Amino acid sequence: QVQLVESGGGLVQPGGSLRLSCAASGRTVSIFRVGWFRQAPGKEREVVASISWSGTNTYYVDFAKGRFTISRDNAKNTVYLQMNSLKPEDTAEYYCAANQYNAGPFDQWGQGTQVTVSP
């Protein structure tokens, strides 16, 4: 079992930045990939970005390209999501999740952290 804990959310003005953290513990050797997802009120959950546990491969959805950067700190078993040039439409609950094999389901989830972008 893997435990994931997100942190770093908060209130930020449009154009501002936040760095989200996803700290993994437990059986981290079983992790294949970690993804960041978000869900806004009344909307479906959507993927934002993901990274291989080795840190060598990253993926971004179109709205994240050029604004968000996903990275991993091997020593801390932590995955980060650096978010720049934030927009009000980025307001959502952000979650990290892990899967255990290539193209496998993301079945280990954190509790989420709220990001609010507002003047």
Side-chain angles (χ1 to χ4, degrees):
Q1 193 78 1
V2 173
Q3 293 79 44
L4 301 172
V5 178
E6 302 96 332
S7 61
L11 174 63
V12 64
Q13 293 185 343
S17 298
L18 281 175
R19 189 179 78 160
L20 306 183
S21 299
C22 172
S25 61
R27 199 168 177 269
T28 58
V29 293
S30 69
I31 297 175
F32 183 83
R33 196 169 190 91
V34 172
W36 281 100
F37 300 78
R38 70 184 188 184
Q39 187 167 20
K43 295 187 177 181
E44 292 188 355
R45 185 175 60 202
E46 59 183 352
V47 65
V48 177
S50 67
I51 187 168
S52 58
W53 193 235
S54 66
T56 58
N57 178 268
T58 58
Y59 166 81
Y60 298 91
V61 296
D62 284 347
F63 68 74
K65 292 178 181 177
R67 296 193 301 132
F68 296 178
T69 303
I70 192 169
S71 62
R72 165 163 145 69
D73 185 324
N74 292 343
K76 296 182 178 180
N77 281 340
T78 299
V79 173
Y80 302 100
L81 184 69
Q82 177 68 44
M83 305 187 295
N84 299 327
S85 302
L86 283 163
K87 306 174 183 180
E89 51 263 44
D90 294 317
T91 295
E93 188 82 6
Y94 284 71
Y95 301 88
C96 65
N99 71 3
Q100 299 181 57
Y101 54 90
N102 190 21
F106 285 89
D107 55 3
Q108 306 292 323
W109 290 83
Q111 83 289 350
T113 186
Q114 177 67 36
V115 171
T116 302
V117 185
S118 179

